[in-house]
Amino acid sequence: MAPRLSEVVNYVERPGKILTLKNLLLHGDEPVSITTALQGSGGFGKTTLANALCNDEDIILAIYRGILWVTLGQQKGSALTALQKLYDAIGIEKKTFLDVEQAQHELKDKLVGKNYLLVLDDAWHRVDVEDIIAATTGCAVLITTRMDRLMLHSRQEQVDEMTAEEAVRLLSRYAGIEYTTDSQLSSLAQKLGYWALLLKLVGAQLKARMDEGESIGQAILYVNKRLEKKGLTGFDMSDAERRNDSVTICLQASIELLESHEQEKLYGLGIFPEDENIPFQVLEKYWEMDDDDCEDFLDKKLHKLGLVDLDLPNKNTFHA
């Protein structure tokens, strides 16, 4: 159930974090039944780290039954749906559960003595996580969450900024250039707080400028001027208000590269759930566009500027 690492756009390795997580999840040659929470603000790469861990050879060898992955999201009461998905993934016969208690009982029977890694991605509510874990005794559990101390008895690994080298590599990938230690690029990455979300947005802006014929130096100069004009002169991770302001500034700088009617379409995506895959056919009807125009707008405008993510292998879904 875990996504393939090859599907992660512009993936950059974070070996230090991966090693720490592997040490938490593995005890010698055997997995241990622990709950490890990856906590951090949105856009720091928690889901990508969990994905990388699930594709790590040592983890795959240790977790011989397999890896189970469900995304929970902000909506409280997601446990029943998650338990149903987990049962469907490992069960032979199909069953539909009426309540959490029934789902827990049936799933627990299927998991007795089995060695799985369970990933609960984007968890927000303790009660939902506890309801799921209650049915998965014996599984190693990895949780990604923005909530500090979501689980009182979990070993929590804070996920914050990337290292300077990792950040420049990611910025380079999104800008579409080879990795370089160029001081201008390094300074820009530092200004963005080595935050994956901001690196993605600004990297996409750099690529858009270079696609118009500018050099990387010219593109950096242009983007820097726009960000500073809007008030982004530095990044303070410890100040939540300034951190949120930084995100707003980078988003606005990207959105302003769209025409007014294109911005209206983007804002209209606010009706869709966060991080849920939405079929293109839904957008075609919503925007009243034919399939080619809809895909071109998503791919060559919104995705290109880092404002939405596309399911690139299939090119038939997106999420904002």
Side-chain angles (χ1 to χ4, degrees):
M1 296 176 71
R4 296 178 184 274
L5 195 58
S6 59
E7 297 174 9
V8 178
V9 179
N10 294 320
Y11 171 67
V12 170
E13 291 185 0
R14 301 177 71 175
K17 286 294 184 186
I18 291 295
L19 181 60
T20 299
L21 289 167
K22 283 170 63 173
N23 289 335
L24 287 172
L25 285 170
L26 302 177
H27 183 264
D29 295 327
E30 299 293 332
V32 293
S33 298
I34 63 172
T35 300
T36 302
L38 283 180
Q39 186 271 330
S41 300
F44 273 108
K46 299 181 296 298
T47 297
T48 300
L49 274 172
N51 193 340
L53 191 70
C54 290
N55 286 271
D56 182 88
E57 184 176 349
D58 294 334
I59 294 294
I60 292 172
L61 290 174
I63 310 295
Y64 61 88
R65 278 291 180 176
I67 297 169
L68 303 172
W69 179 300
V70 287
T71 300
L72 300 182
Q74 296 185 44
Q75 186 67 38
K76 193 173 184 179
S78 58
L80 180 58
T81 300
L83 290 167
Q84 182 75 62
K85 288 180 179 178
L86 293 172
Y87 185 88
D88 291 344
I90 64 174
I92 298 175
E93 74 279 16
K94 293 294 182 181
K95 291 186 178 181
T96 300
F97 304 122
L98 300 177
D99 54 42
V100 169
E101 290 74 18
Q102 182 192 13
Q104 287 174 328
H105 175 74
E106 294 287 346
L107 185 60
K108 188 177 293 186
D109 284 347
K110 292 290 183 183
L111 291 175
V112 170
K114 306 292 176 61
N115 182 19
Y116 286 97
L117 169 63
L118 172 65
V119 181
L120 302 179
D121 184 38
D122 196 26
W124 286 74
H125 303 287
R126 181 181 299 173
V127 64
D128 290 324
V129 175
E130 289 177 340
D131 281 344
I132 297 168
I133 291 178
T136 57
T137 304
C139 293
V141 182
L142 179 67
I143 303 167
T144 73
T145 180
R146 303 183 191 188
M147 315 303 290
D148 188 32
R149 296 299 170 190
L150 178 72
M151 301 300 292
L152 297 178
H153 302 292
S154 67
R155 305 188 195 182
Q156 182 165 296
E157 174 64 18
Q158 184 78 25
V159 178
D160 40 38
E161 71 273 8
M162 308 178 88
T163 67
E165 180 181 345
E166 291 165 353
V168 174
R169 285 188 183 279
L170 186 61
L171 188 58
S172 301
R173 295 268 178 89
Y174 275 106
I177 61 174
E178 294 293 326
Y179 169 70
T180 173
T181 56
D182 180 85
S183 59
Q184 287 182 301
L185 207 61
S186 299
S187 296
L188 181 56
Q190 183 178 22
K191 179 184 291 187
L192 299 172
Y194 305 138
W195 189 351
L197 174 62
L198 302 189
L199 295 165
K200 169 186 174 181
L201 288 169
V202 173
Q205 292 178 41
L206 292 175
K207 188 175 189 308
R209 298 297 299 183
M210 288 187 290
D211 285 347
E212 297 297 322
E214 291 187 355
S215 67
I216 180 61
Q218 291 171 325
I220 291 174
L221 181 62
Y222 172 83
V223 168
N224 260 322
K225 284 183 176 179
R226 292 189 73 224
L227 294 178
E228 289 174 5
K229 185 177 181 180
K230 292 179 177 296
L232 180 60
T233 56
F235 181 90
D236 187 354
M237 177 61 197
S238 64
D239 188 326
E241 185 175 350
R242 289 191 62 186
R243 188 174 67 231
N244 291 335
D245 287 345
S246 298
V247 176
T248 301
I249 289 170
C250 290
L251 276 171
Q252 286 177 342
S254 294
I255 291 170
E256 287 175 3
L257 296 176
L258 299 171
E259 301 290 339
S260 59
H261 69 280
E262 295 173 334
Q263 293 180 19
E264 290 179 9
K265 285 184 169 60
L266 174 66
Y267 293 140
L269 298 180
I271 69 167
F272 296 104
E274 182 183 4
D275 288 332
E276 288 288 330
N277 284 337
I278 310 299
F280 281 7
Q281 293 89 334
V282 173
L283 281 184
E284 290 164 15
K285 294 180 179 178
Y286 178 55
W287 281 337
E288 297 181 347
M289 300 174 71
D290 65 36
D291 53 353
D292 289 336
D293 289 342
C294 182
E295 184 171 335
D296 279 350
F297 178 56
L298 281 167
D299 190 7
K300 298 177 181 178
K301 288 282 188 170
L302 301 188
H303 178 67
K304 182 178 179 180
L305 291 173
L307 296 170
V308 302
D309 291 320
L310 298 184
D311 181 359
L312 294 178
N314 300 315
K315 278 293 189 81
N316 60 1
T317 64
F318 90 101
H319 66 265

